[in-house]
Amino acid sequence: MTELPPVGIGTWENTDPEACANAVQTALEMGYRHVDTADIYGNEEHVGAGIARADVDREAFVLASKAHTQATGLTYDAVIETAEQSLDRLGVDALDLFYVHWPTGEYDAEETLPAFDELVADGLIREVGVSNFTPELVEEAMDVLDAPVFANQVEMHPLLQQAELVAHAQAHDYYLVAYSPLARGDVFEVPELNEIADKHGVSEAQVSLAWLRSKDNVVAIPKATSRAHIEDNYASLDLELDEEDIATIDGIEREDRHLDFEAAPWN
């Protein structure tokens, strides 16, 4: 089975062709082994260019993309078409991980998910993921799919700790992939994180990523475009928070959700 490293490179909103390709190349050559994109990001070709430039074997890293109801749709045929188009844009033969981006719009478990099983059977994708799913929707997907649910990608950071989803992922042995793991920069303004960062002589970004890494079954995909930020996020792998640090962050009682709308499954 595919394994997800604790930190990957996210590419949401990274649509400048050269900046995106350079970020992916830089991350891979630095040691990142998980690259995340989506059809609706409009940057798969740029991600593919970065992959092609990087002096890293394709088999050495996990490549993930997603099918979105507002892009090409989530009917059976649309999912197959989306996957094939993503492979073409990325310039690869297979995706290691392919997600249902949102359980909204055309999403219907009985209609949508069999297409993912078909893609696995045909060797076009290796693992099936879901994104922005509640525990109940994950369990529904598990019931419908022949393949296991490999990952659920959700917003998660010290200001949105997702305790219920973490427990569910651990109980059912799938990955929780944290997007916006730096709360879109808000982690730099949290007193508890400021103190822990000062204590260890590191950035608040590193503290947030190390905290996420401390949770079983949780990995993070911070978005970064500059070499400095890509390096800083990767350096979080060298930071070991102590029990007091983790307890302090666990005790932050905020629920700041950056990506929210009326049709979201938790509303």
Side-chain angles (χ1 to χ4, degrees):
M1 178 178 279
T2 309
E3 289 189 13
L4 292 183
V7 175
I9 182 81
T11 62
W12 178 66
E13 287 190 334
N14 193 352
T15 54
D16 178 87
E18 188 59 27
C20 183
N22 186 59
V24 171
Q25 178 185 3
T26 298
L28 285 172
E29 293 182 346
M30 192 176 293
Y32 283 76
R33 291 297 178 260
H34 179 191
V35 177
D36 183 87
T37 184
D39 65 334
I40 204 167
Y41 294 173
N43 64 6
E44 287 176 315
E45 289 182 4
H46 318 324
V47 170
I51 289 169
R53 290 183 202 171
D55 188 21
V56 177
D57 289 342
R58 170 65 189 93
E59 296 74 25
F61 63 92
V62 174
L63 178 60
S65 193
K66 311 176 194 75
H68 196 297
T69 189
Q70 291 178 355
T72 53
L74 289 174
T75 63
Y76 182 96
D77 290 340
V79 169
I80 301 292
E81 181 182 358
T82 298
E84 291 172 344
Q85 291 175 346
S86 289
L87 292 173
D88 185 57
R89 287 190 291 260
L90 288 161
V92 298
D93 296 326
L95 287 165
D96 301 292
L97 176 55
F98 193 48
Y99 293 92
V100 178
H101 204 153
W102 284 91
T104 56
E106 292 179 336
Y107 176 74
D108 177 84
E110 298 284 350
E111 164 77 8
T112 302
L113 297 176
F116 284 78
D117 279 327
E118 179 68 21
L119 290 165
V120 171
D122 289 345
L124 298 183
I125 70 172
R126 297 190 175 97
E127 304 287 356
V128 178
V130 296
S131 185
N132 302 296
F133 276 43
T134 61
E136 295 76 18
L137 286 169
V138 173
E139 290 182 17
E140 179 188 42
M142 288 174 169
D143 288 341
V144 173
L145 284 163
D146 293 329
V149 171
F150 179 75
N152 183 17
Q153 186 176 131
V154 299
E155 181 180 349
M156 182 180 173
H157 44 73
L159 306 181
L160 183 65
Q161 300 197 7
Q162 301 282 23
E164 182 184 15
L165 281 170
V166 172
H168 194 265
Q170 292 169 347
H172 294 274
D173 196 27
Y174 62 85
Y175 286 102
L176 204 62
V177 178
Y179 70 73
S180 298
L182 309 182
R184 301 191 186 178
D186 286 356
V187 296
F188 293 96
E189 309 299 330
V190 179
E192 295 91 338
L193 299 181
N194 297 149
E195 291 178 10
I196 295 170
D198 288 344
K199 169 183 168 181
H200 291 280
V202 298
S203 67
E204 289 82 358
Q206 288 191 37
V207 172
S208 297
L209 295 171
W211 173 78
L212 287 162
R213 194 178 80 245
S214 76
K215 309 298 180 188
D216 289 343
N217 294 64
V218 176
V219 303
I221 48 166
K223 182 192 74 171
T225 53
S226 72
R227 183 176 186 89
H229 288 156
I230 294 169
E231 260 179 0
D232 188 62
N233 292 340
Y234 194 66
S236 69
L237 296 173
D238 295 326
L239 173 63
E240 291 297 333
L241 300 177
D242 59 38
E243 290 183 6
E244 182 182 0
D245 298 331
I246 293 169
T248 296
I249 299 171
D250 287 348
I252 296 173
E253 294 184 356
R254 290 172 60 176
E255 192 164 314
D256 299 356
R257 190 184 291 276
H258 285 270
L259 193 52
D260 199 11
F261 54 97
E262 188 175 343
W266 47 82
N267 288 330

